[in-house]
Amino acid sequence: MVAAPCARRLARRSHSALIAALTVLLLQTLVVWNFSSLDSGEGQRAGGGREKRDRGGGGGGESSDHRAHQHRRGPAAFHTPSSQGGPPGASKTGGSKSGAPGNAGMRTDASRGLLAQEASPRPPPLLTLESFDGYFSHRPKEKMRTDSNNENSVPKDFENIDNSNFAPRTQRQKYQPELVKKPLSKQKEHLKKKLEQEGKVKENSLLGKNSNEVLQFRHHVLKNSSSNLKEIHKSPRQPHLKRSGNNSPEIRYDQPPKCEISGKEAISALSRSKSKHCRREIAEIYCQHKQGKLMPEKVVRLCPLDGKANNNVQWDEDSVEYMPANPVRIAFVLVVHGRASRQLQRMFKAIYHKDHFYYIHVDKRSNYLHRKVLQFASQYPNVRVTPWRMATIWGGASLLSTYLQSMRDLIEMNDWPWDFFINLSAADYPIRTNDQLVAFLSRYRGMNFLKSHGRDNARFIRKQGLDRLFLECDTHMWRLGDRKIPEGITLDGGSDWFLLNRNFVEYVIFSSDDLVTKMKRFYSYTLLPAESFFHTVLENSPHCDSMVDNNLRITNWNRKLGCKCQYKHIVDWCGCSPNDFKPADFHRFQQTARPTFFARKFEAVVNQEIIGQLDYYLYGNYPSGTPGLRSYWENIYDEPDGIHSLSDVILTMYHSFSRLGLRRAETSLHTDGDNSCRYYPMGHPVSVQLYFLADRFQGFLIKHHATNLAVSKLETLETWVMPKKMFKIVSPPSDFGRLQFSEIGTDWDAKERIFRNFGGLIGPMDEPVGMQKWGKGPNVTVTVIWVDPINVIAATYDILIESSAEFTHYKPPLNLPLRPGVWTIKILHHWVPVAETKFLVTPLTFSNRQPIKQEESVRLHSGPPKNAYMEQSFQGLNPVLNIPIKAAQVDQAKKNAALIGTKLENWVDTLVSSIWSAVDVCSTGPTSCPVMQACSQTAWSSLSPDPKSELGPIKPDGRLR
């Protein structure tokens, strides 16, 4: 009987505890729902003032798919060690702060983690309003890298991107209740900073005229000035930015433009453009358009057909056996950029035949590639390089200018009697032989092959932004406002990869009729003009009956990964880009349902095996024992580029790699009493290559000078450095088996899901991203903890991993500078360690490419003030996680921060050698070290044989491969 009251009391306590737990759960769920709704409302209120067309749930400055992803996944929730959040034993330390979700594949939905009701020893993390303000507040800074290859940005079934309201707007800011308490001057300063941030976020417009004098077809203009806009009059002085009552930017000119610039998009473009000539151009074009002097209102249609031509061409695998007596000859126009010279040479080798013609344009910024192209083009009489060069950008009008000028050049080459014009990039590869292509085109020599978007023309115009005015300058496409589609014709478009016959090309270049002249004018100020100009002119011209709705290509579209608005830093618009092919895609090249002769995209740094499969399929295997078939080298630095092309982080690391190589030579090749294999480093690196073997990154190859101490002569060596394996599963392993790999880096490519900063070279002012790769399994929540070199916990957050998730990535908004040294990333499940990885934040031996001075070294190498990587402190987690902060480590870090000269280099080398290994070293020329191997005789050196990419003499059958 004594036990009964106890039982009742226990039951009452359990009942009360259960009610309390359910109440807390309900309140937290309501809070999450309320914040999510608030975020949605903010996003809608932030939209531009123009009419919202085809919203599809999108709006504001984001595309609809971005907004949808943000609502589905929520934020990455940062932990606050307190009585309500954090592991048992953690002390209460204050409020939380969160950052932005990293990508669509990452599920960091704290509310869903809350409702998952996993058996966790801790309550869910706290959520704040800031948790739902991440996309712009902590959006990863995109590397300002322009992409020369246009893609079809509007695949016909792509419904998710909505650019209709991609308008200038006030950026959503974090809630700052203390703002009202600030003095007026500080409020103005805050608003000024807000306006500056707004300018960065709103870099999202369409095309127009560009820095290469878009659609200027006077030959002498392009020959003499391959780069920039036509000479404009005296530029006005810098306009002044001021803030209007609604915080939108206003432009005040010392020399006002010819009209009042009132459009929000034009004002936004003026506030963001950096050069005087670009601002003047924006103002002039805007005023011409406003006055009705820019765009044609009506264009005469010259096609006798009603609607599109319906030409159905057939593909016959055996047609190559019936080669016509008068086969067509093809002009291949290669528009290339970047540094992948070996991939370009391999593609060129696959498409080359002595009976065709090859005209190559290398982007104006790709000087290394231009040097390589000039080198191999000189070997063949039917290969020429454009004497002019343009800086083309994704979506830019400059690409159309490049094609039109190339067409004019080819027509004027009387010694090149070509019949078809085909455009290719270095990311293309043939999937049929030249003989098959010639047999097919000879059968349809009067046709023009372009791929159209589909049937819904109104939707295409809207999604493509053809009803918007764009201007290209400063290698950016600025969106300036709306415009009307000319009456009288039908606009069409689709892919910007095509095959056009000579008759139509001559018509486009030389015709002065109403259609051609007005369309050139219209497309001078159009986003992605190469995806629509030729389609529209052909469909409305006397040649309309020659159109075939097929560009003879296979493109690897993956909407989920390829449509991420990844070009917002160069175009005021959202678009899509195809993915790279992988070996699993090979079966797609063997389809025979429609004629196809080329495929895209291919990148050897992503996957070279698929290129090898195609090459062997077309031309057979290389002989047994051929070297280099599974290796790939890509140059990332060459001495003529100059060290100004390198960041201080990269220059520091390259020098350290060189010294590691010399130390490797001394320890492995040197004998006592003999200095013949001892060296002293000299000067900056000569060249640097990425090295891959079997599609795995193997490290860097650094070519560098050094003085041989035995004979005091300068020698040139090449050092191979390879990253050590930093990821490890805890021992003994836990029962959590979904995590496959974790890595830290910068320049994350969400489309290909790799870090483009191969090797992860990171400095104190970089913003690293944490990536995890997952296997299939049940939904789980993991905790990620970032620990700096002296055991300060910089950040900790939860990620909900859904059962189908493959990759997650997230960039915590850490205060800079990061403390140099080896960082540790710990991954826990239910606060039990699962795995960890390490990465290096290197100290800098250079500042602005000069040896660093002590005051700069102290500033960059001391970590953030007061060790505050974020607003809240995570120090309460140190004893719980058994990560002690030791006074000796702190003191040593202070001493290291003040190092300069040789002592600093020694510190850098010690850190670098903990993450990197000098695998081997070789000599590129004569050497006094008797046991050092020649680079040409190694399997790894950039000077070793690479027959698959080497270009030799023309074979008797007219081919190179």
Side-chain angles (χ1 to χ4, degrees):
M1 296 300 290
V2 177
C6 294
R8 284 195 294 271
R9 281 197 298 272
L10 284 173
R12 283 197 299 271
R13 288 173 183 172
S14 300
H15 186 257
S16 301
L18 180 60
I19 292 174
L22 289 173
T23 303
V24 170
L25 182 63
L26 177 61
L27 287 173
Q28 289 178 324
T29 305
L30 289 172
V31 168
V32 170
W33 171 83
N34 188 42
F35 289 159
S36 180
S37 302
L38 179 60
D39 176 63
S40 176
E42 274 191 357
Q44 292 177 10
R45 289 194 301 273
R50 71 183 309 279
E51 181 183 353
K52 297 174 175 59
R53 297 173 298 175
D54 189 28
R55 289 291 297 270
E62 303 171 34
S63 66
S64 59
D65 72 327
H66 271 160
R67 185 175 299 280
H69 282 311
Q70 185 171 348
H71 286 270
R72 286 197 301 269
R73 67 183 183 246
F78 280 89
H79 292 305
T80 303
S82 69
S83 58
Q84 288 187 332
S91 60
K92 186 172 182 179
T93 56
S96 68
K97 172 184 176 181
S98 76
N103 75 330
M106 177 177 179
R107 306 289 297 198
T108 56
D109 193 333
S111 62
R112 296 188 60 175
L114 174 67
L115 299 175
Q117 299 185 18
E118 296 184 65
S120 174
R122 61 184 179 84
L126 291 178
L127 295 174
T128 67
L129 175 62
E130 296 172 272
S131 300
F132 290 90
D133 188 38
Y135 184 78
F136 285 107
S137 300
H138 302 300
R139 181 170 62 86
K141 291 181 180 177
E142 300 177 65
K143 192 172 182 180
M144 299 303 287
R145 172 173 52 88
T146 49
D147 185 345
S148 302
N149 282 340
N150 259 18
E151 308 297 349
N152 176 9
S153 68
V154 188
K156 63 181 179 181
D157 58 344
F158 180 55
E159 296 289 350
N160 295 324
I161 293 291
D162 175 21
N163 286 298
S164 63
N165 219 20
F166 217 80
R169 66 189 188 110
T170 302
Q171 179 188 353
R172 288 178 293 154
Q173 294 296 312
K174 292 184 178 181
Y175 176 55
Q176 295 186 350
E178 74 279 9
L179 181 63
V180 296
K181 302 176 184 178
K182 294 181 181 178
L184 184 61
S185 60
K186 289 190 176 182
Q187 287 193 38
K188 289 183 178 179
E189 183 180 352
H190 170 75
L191 289 170
K192 182 180 178 182
K193 289 181 179 178
K194 181 178 181 180
L195 184 60
E196 290 172 353
Q197 291 174 350
E198 176 187 8
K200 293 178 183 177
V201 170
K202 290 186 293 189
E203 288 188 6
N204 301 303
S205 287
L206 284 178
L207 314 180
K209 219 172 172 189
N210 99 343
S211 59
N212 304 295
E213 180 51 28
V214 174
L215 300 185
Q216 288 293 316
F217 305 115
R218 302 187 191 95
H219 202 167
H220 68 277
V221 172
L222 282 167
K223 295 262 185 174
N224 296 335
S225 174
S226 62
S227 62
N228 295 324
L229 287 161
K230 61 184 173 232
E231 195 69 23
I232 6 187
H233 308 94
K234 187 177 178 182
S235 299
R237 279 176 282 174
Q238 177 99 7
H240 302 288
L241 244 70
K242 70 175 183 178
R243 180 176 55 84
S244 67
N246 61 357
N247 293 333
S248 61
E250 289 184 11
I251 309 297
R252 185 177 63 208
Y253 283 93
D254 294 332
Q255 297 179 8
K258 298 176 182 179
C259 70
E260 179 186 358
I261 299 179
S262 56
K264 289 185 177 180
E265 293 161 326
I267 292 173
S268 173
L270 285 168
S271 70
R272 290 178 287 133
S273 58
K274 295 180 174 60
S275 70
K276 291 182 179 180
H277 80 80
C278 186
R279 286 190 293 273
R280 181 178 180 86
E281 183 96 4
I282 289 171
E284 288 183 351
I285 294 304
Y286 177 83
C287 289
Q288 285 185 43
H289 180 58
K290 187 175 181 179
Q291 296 161 5
K293 300 176 181 179
L294 190 67
M295 291 290 99
E297 295 183 2
K298 188 173 183 179
V299 179
V300 177
R301 176 177 167 87
L302 304 174
C303 174
L305 302 177
D306 290 330
K308 291 184 183 180
N310 186 22
N311 293 309
N312 186 20
V313 297
Q314 299 297 318
W315 164 242
D316 182 2
E317 285 278 3
D318 300 324
S319 62
V320 69
E321 298 178 8
Y322 308 101
M323 187 63 69
N326 182 27
V328 297
R329 304 182 72 179
I330 301 166
F332 292 89
V333 175
L334 308 183
V335 179
V336 298
H337 74 291
R339 306 186 74 92
S341 60
R342 299 198 190 210
Q343 181 175 338
L344 170 62
Q345 288 172 198
R346 189 171 188 180
M347 186 272 286
F348 174 79
K349 191 173 184 177
I351 65 171
Y352 181 86
H353 192 279
K354 65 179 181 61
D355 292 338
H356 304 299
F357 310 100
Y358 303 85
Y359 198 43
I360 307 176
H361 173 272
V362 184
D363 188 274
K364 189 175 182 180
R365 296 154 297 183
S366 300
N367 292 326
Y368 168 80
L369 189 62
H370 189 244
R371 293 192 294 271
K372 291 294 182 181
V373 168
L374 288 174
Q375 208 171 31
F376 77 73
S378 62
Q379 303 177 48
Y380 309 102
N382 57 340
V383 180
R384 293 173 185 168
V385 183
T386 62
W388 46 272
R389 293 166 65 195
M390 294 188 182
T392 59
I393 62 172
W394 187 94
S398 49
L399 184 61
L400 178 56
S401 298
T402 299
Y403 288 145
L404 292 171
Q405 185 59 44
S406 299
M407 290 173 174
R408 179 180 290 274
D409 291 353
L410 286 166
I411 291 171
E412 292 176 352
M413 294 177 190
N414 297 324
D415 56 333
W416 277 16
W418 55 275
D419 302 293
F420 272 95
F421 176 105
I422 296 178
N423 63 331
L424 295 172
S425 76
D428 293 287
Y429 212 80
I431 60 175
R432 301 278 186 268
T433 65
N434 256 335
D435 288 344
Q436 290 172 309
L437 176 62
V438 169
F440 175 81
L441 292 179
S442 297
R443 182 177 174 182
Y444 299 104
R445 64 175 66 236
M447 298 291 105
N448 289 286
F449 300 87
L450 304 97
K451 182 61 182 172
S452 182
H453 63 86
R455 298 180 179 179
D456 190 346
N457 218 42
R459 177 189 168 275
F460 173 75
I461 290 171
R462 183 177 63 253
K463 294 292 184 182
Q464 193 80 351
L466 294 175
D467 54 352
R468 310 298 180 89
L469 183 71
F470 285 88
L471 173 71
E472 181 177 354
C473 64
D474 286 353
T475 60
H476 189 96
M477 284 298 279
W478 307 99
R479 186 170 123 189
L480 305 185
D482 295 345
R483 67 177 180 181
K484 293 181 179 179
I485 302 297
E487 296 179 1
I489 60 169
T490 301
L491 260 63
D492 195 9
S495 172
D496 58 350
W497 304 99
F498 40 77
L499 292 87
L500 305 176
N501 65 42
R502 185 173 185 127
N503 286 339
F504 178 64
V505 170
E506 290 179 342
Y507 171 75
V508 167
I509 297 303
F510 295 125
S511 175
S512 59
D513 65 24
D514 188 67
L515 173 68
V516 174
T517 56
K518 288 184 177 179
M519 283 298 95
K520 286 179 179 178
R521 181 71 170 170
F522 180 82
Y523 282 100
S524 294
Y525 306 99
T526 301
L527 176 70
L528 297 155
E531 297 187 2
S532 181
F533 172 80
F534 296 104
H535 301 71
T536 299
V537 172
L538 179 59
E539 189 175 330
N540 293 277
S541 75
H543 299 264
C544 60
D545 59 348
S546 66
M547 181 175 178
V548 178
D549 189 8
N550 180 1
N551 63 356
L552 309 183
R553 329 266 175 137
I554 294 177
T555 303
N556 190 27
W557 286 109
N558 184 329
R559 324 294 185 209
K560 182 179 178 181
L561 296 176
C563 300
K564 299 287 187 185
C565 295
Q566 60 265 50
Y567 300 113
K568 291 191 297 183
H569 57 293
I570 52 173
V571 175
D572 292 352
W573 202 254
C574 274
C576 300
S577 184
N579 279 64
D580 293 333
F581 282 110
K582 307 287 175 29
D585 300 309
F586 184 77
H587 67 280
R588 297 170 62 184
F589 308 142
Q590 297 171 302
Q591 61 83 31
T592 57
R594 65 183 180 91
T596 51
F597 293 89
F598 300 94
R600 66 186 327 272
K601 299 170 60 175
F602 299 90
E603 279 189 281
V605 295
V606 175
N607 188 276
Q608 185 182 230
E609 182 184 350
I610 183 63
I611 301 174
Q613 287 178 336
L614 259 179
D615 188 72
Y616 309 154
Y617 171 70
L618 294 175
Y619 300 111
N621 289 329
Y622 281 90
S624 177
T626 300
L629 293 182
R630 304 184 73 200
S631 301
Y632 179 69
W633 299 263
E634 186 163 305
N635 180 278
I636 53 174
Y637 172 71
D638 196 34
E639 196 169 34
D641 298 333
I643 61 166
H644 66 274
S645 64
L646 300 176
S647 70
D648 293 326
V649 177
I650 291 175
L651 190 58
T652 295
M653 293 293 285
Y654 289 172
H655 273 271
S656 182
F657 290 157
S658 301
R659 294 191 294 268
L660 292 186
L662 300 184
R663 197 167 297 129
R664 164 79 182 185
E666 182 175 351
T667 56
S668 62
L669 306 178
H670 172 68
T671 56
D672 291 338
D674 181 9
N675 285 338
S676 61
C677 296
R678 295 182 63 193
Y679 293 89
Y680 183 81
M682 298 293 292
H684 294 297
V686 179
S687 71
V688 182
Q689 310 271 344
L690 300 173
Y691 175 45
F692 297 84
L693 181 64
D695 287 323
R696 292 186 178 273
F697 176 63
Q698 301 295 313
F700 295 99
L701 307 179
I702 317 292
K703 192 184 296 183
H704 54 103
H705 298 306
T707 298
N708 188 297
L709 296 181
V711 294
S712 299
K713 288 186 177 180
L714 195 68
E715 296 181 9
T716 303
L717 311 177
E718 188 167 48
T719 294
W720 171 15
V721 292
M722 176 187 288
K724 297 178 180 179
K725 294 181 179 179
M726 291 292 106
F727 173 74
K728 64 178 183 180
I729 301 291
V730 295
S731 182
S734 69
D735 57 356
F736 177 77
R738 286 198 60 189
L739 182 63
Q740 296 181 350
F741 186 63
S742 180
E743 184 180 3
I744 310 299
T746 61
D747 198 10
W748 172 254
D749 181 347
K751 181 167 68 71
E752 298 303 334
R753 300 192 287 198
I754 61 172
F755 286 108
R756 293 288 179 172
N757 176 5
F758 291 98
L761 308 186
I762 298 173
M765 300 307 292
D766 289 323
E767 298 177 312
V769 174
M771 177 276 291
Q772 299 82 32
K773 183 178 180 182
W774 306 97
K776 303 295 183 184
N779 288 11
V780 293
T781 300
V782 299
T783 302
V784 182
I785 300 174
W786 293 56
V787 185
D788 92 342
I790 62 170
N791 285 354
V792 173
I793 297 178
T796 173
Y797 51 89
D798 274 356
I799 309 176
L800 172 65
I801 315 302
E802 291 195 332
S803 60
S804 60
E806 296 180 73
F807 287 85
T808 56
H809 76 274
Y810 182 71
K811 183 179 73 172
L814 303 175
N815 293 326
L816 304 178
L818 305 179
R819 177 170 282 107
V822 178
W823 285 56
T824 303
I825 307 297
K826 296 179 178 290
I827 300 176
L828 298 85
H829 181 233
H830 294 163
W831 290 93
V832 175
V834 172
E836 72 174 34
T837 189
K838 296 180 183 295
F839 72 97
L840 173 64
V841 175
T842 182
L844 303 180
T845 56
F846 292 92
S847 176
N848 197 25
R849 270 76 66 184
Q850 297 294 322
I852 196 168
K853 296 180 180 179
Q854 191 166 53
E855 56 270 24
E856 274 291 280
S857 184
V858 171
R859 184 181 68 83
L860 291 170
H861 298 160
S862 298
K866 300 180 181 180
N867 293 326
Y869 288 101
M870 299 181 67
E871 290 176 4
Q872 76 276 40
S873 169
F874 299 104
Q875 191 171 349
L877 291 175
N878 285 83
V880 177
L881 297 171
N882 194 24
I883 306 175
I885 298 178
K886 299 179 180 178
Q889 286 180 306
V890 175
D891 292 340
Q892 187 60 50
K894 289 181 179 178
K895 293 177 182 178
N896 289 340
L899 296 177
I900 58 172
T902 303
K903 291 183 178 179
L904 175 58
E905 289 181 353
N906 292 338
W907 180 37
V908 170
D909 292 351
T910 300
L911 292 172
V912 171
S913 61
S914 68
I915 303 293
W916 295 83
S917 302
V919 181
D920 206 354
V921 62
C922 64
S923 174
T924 67
T927 177
S928 298
C929 178
V931 292
M932 184 175 292
Q933 60 189 334
C935 291
S936 59
Q937 297 176 4
T938 71
W940 56 266
S941 170
S942 63
L943 299 180
S944 62
D946 185 19
K948 65 184 181 300
S949 299
E950 291 165 359
L951 301 175
I954 301 172
K955 296 181 178 180
D957 60 4
R959 302 194 321 231
L960 297 178
R961 175 70 174 99

